[in-house]
Amino acid sequence: MLKKTLLAVATSVACVLSSPVVFAQDHHEHDHAHHGHVHQEKDVGEYKMINGLRYYKTMSEAVPSKELMRIDIGAEPENVGGPKQDPKHTTGGLPMAFRPTVNKDEVWILDSINGGLKLFKSGKLLKNINIKEFCTVQDFAFSPDGSKIAFLNANTGKIYITDDKGKLKTTISGYSYALSIEFENDKELLVLSPLSKGVAKVSVGGAPLGVFEGDQSLSNFSSEKGLWGIDYSNPTNAKLFVQKGSSPKVIAEFPFAEYKDVEYKVGKIYGLDSEGNVYFGLTACDPNGIIYRDRIYKCNQYGEILKELDVIDDPILSPELPRHRIVCPDGDIMTFYSNELVYAIRIYSMK
């Protein structure tokens, strides 16, 4: 049912790699500058070029994200690091991860380049937890009660468990090349780990608790029903599933077969909101990289669609990041935009 991990990685950028990023100048092209992010659009008939991506007419009602805050790139505490601060290229030249809080104007940003986990409120620095001793950290997660933070260094395979101030409590080894981490509860972590052949479960004390076998179709976002996943191995009929143990259970199907050679190329679970609703995205394009669907879904845990939204995005030039979109507690979807000058947190409203 599930695909191979490397295939999932490769197809996550399929639409981007086949889309040109250089625009021909003509009288149809116009720029919309908003808060440092340039929205470039060109109408060429059946598809429209926006931000270097080509969208078919099926995406005519798609909406862009809205800026929540922006932070200057630099080396000061109130900045986040970019390419100039990372001359050895130990990262992709931008923050490795971000997470919302219960407050809509706050966000935690993993500034591995400058060695800090930083809390920003409306673009202003509130807190900076020093993580330089952990070297280049790829991901982080807070326990549900907020008392513990987990940091993943995928290069060394180590997971560091600290208190809420960053004081080290436990070091866990054995998770080289892991992709992301999530707390299942206050005492257990779920590690998306290709070398473990799925999602590994481990206690905050370091005890291995088993593996949910699967690949990147299976996420490490969980509820009482199990781990959630989105399977698009059938390229015209994606399936939302939940897995408890070794057997996935299909919750809902999402067919898209109206156009010849248009296939799902990306499927991703974004997490759950405070009410337990599940959010995920599906992207379909043709062999030329023209996007026919980039849609965010909100479903209850029985697979009933509560909201769906077609969205405009920027090309994904950093596929190695743990996540590009994540659910806020209130159900909106948080994403980001970055260039050499600014890192911006943005929101897709699912209200």
Side-chain angles (χ1 to χ4, degrees):
M1 175 179 181
L2 303 177
K3 300 159 107 107
K4 297 296 182 183
T5 297
L6 292 180
L7 178 60
V9 173
T11 57
S12 69
V13 292
C15 294
V16 174
L17 293 180
S18 53
S19 299
V21 295
V22 179
F23 298 156
Q25 298 291 329
D26 66 19
H27 66 281
H28 292 294
E29 186 172 346
H30 53 283
D31 294 348
H32 302 287
H34 46 92
H35 301 291
H37 181 222
V38 178
H39 178 79
Q40 296 180 310
E41 184 173 311
K42 178 183 177 183
D43 193 343
V44 289
E46 286 196 326
Y47 69 86
K48 186 175 290 188
M49 295 180 68
I50 306 175
N51 298 338
L53 298 174
R54 293 177 291 175
Y55 293 91
Y56 193 64
K57 58 185 179 181
T58 51
M59 294 286 288
S60 61
E61 301 298 319
V63 298
S65 57
K66 294 182 179 180
E67 185 172 292
L68 184 65
M69 69 179 77
R70 56 175 167 165
I71 300 145
D72 290 339
I73 299 293
E76 300 300 320
E78 65 270 20
N79 302 143
V80 293
K84 290 183 179 179
Q85 289 74 45
D86 186 19
K88 295 183 179 180
H89 306 292
T90 58
T91 72
L94 75 167
M96 297 297 289
F98 59 96
R99 289 185 185 268
T101 76
V102 294
N103 302 314
K104 198 54 169 290
D105 59 347
E106 293 181 357
V107 62
W108 285 98
I109 298 176
L110 182 61
D111 184 10
S112 295
I113 293 173
N114 292 326
L117 176 63
K118 299 179 178 181
L119 177 63
F120 288 90
K121 180 181 176 68
S122 301
K124 304 297 182 182
L125 182 67
L126 287 185
K127 188 180 293 187
N128 184 1
I129 298 174
N130 190 323
I131 59 170
K132 291 180 181 178
E133 64 178 303
F134 307 147
C135 299
T136 303
V137 175
Q138 280 76 29
D139 198 14
F140 73 101
F142 281 90
S143 61
D145 67 1
S147 67
K148 292 179 281 292
I149 315 173
F151 296 95
L152 168 68
N153 185 325
N155 297 322
T156 62
K158 292 182 178 180
I159 297 172
Y160 302 97
I161 308 296
T162 77
D163 65 14
D164 59 354
K165 296 179 176 59
K167 183 178 179 180
L168 183 63
K169 298 295 185 181
T170 308
T171 300
I172 305 169
S173 300
Y175 294 99
S176 297
Y177 304 106
L179 301 174
S180 67
I181 51 176
E182 300 288 342
F183 274 92
E184 184 176 34
N185 52 55
D186 292 327
K187 296 182 178 180
E188 296 167 333
L189 281 166
L190 295 169
V191 186
L192 191 59
S193 174
L195 293 187
S196 301
K197 299 182 179 179
V199 176
K201 188 172 183 177
V202 59
S203 77
V204 294
L209 301 174
V211 176
F212 296 89
E213 292 190 1
D215 63 18
Q216 281 184 276
S217 297
L218 179 66
S219 80
N220 50 1
F221 291 105
S222 64
S223 69
E224 291 183 357
K225 288 182 176 289
L227 273 64
W228 290 88
I230 188 74
D231 171 33
Y232 53 100
S233 57
N234 180 333
T236 58
N237 188 27
K239 297 175 182 178
L240 176 68
F241 68 91
V242 66
Q243 183 169 328
K244 202 164 192 174
S246 59
S247 300
K249 178 183 177 181
V250 174
I251 301 297
E253 300 186 19
F254 301 86
F256 188 51
E258 290 87 349
Y259 300 91
K260 182 181 179 182
D261 295 329
V262 174
E263 299 181 345
Y264 285 123
K265 296 295 186 181
V266 183
K268 200 79 172 177
I269 300 289
Y270 300 144
L272 290 80
D273 65 19
S274 60
E275 297 179 349
N277 299 306
V278 183
Y279 295 73
F280 59 95
L282 285 168
T283 305
C285 63
D286 68 11
N288 296 315
I290 298 174
I291 297 169
Y292 282 61
R293 174 170 290 179
D294 187 353
R295 183 170 295 179
I296 298 173
Y297 294 86
K298 172 185 178 180
C299 290
N300 63 24
Q301 294 200 20
Y302 300 98
E304 297 169 339
I305 298 175
L306 304 179
K307 173 78 174 182
E308 50 190 321
L309 183 70
D310 287 332
V311 297
I312 299 297
D313 203 357
D314 293 283
I316 296 175
L317 304 179
S318 49
E320 76 285 353
L321 299 182
R323 65 194 62 81
H324 292 82
R325 299 173 183 172
I326 191 170
V327 180
C328 299
D330 67 358
D332 283 347
I333 303 296
M334 182 174 284
T335 186
F336 75 94
Y337 166 77
S338 182
N339 58 30
E340 292 185 356
L341 300 176
V342 68
Y343 180 84
I345 295 295
R346 304 180 65 84
I347 292 289
Y348 292 113
S349 176
M350 294 295 287
K351 302 296 188 296

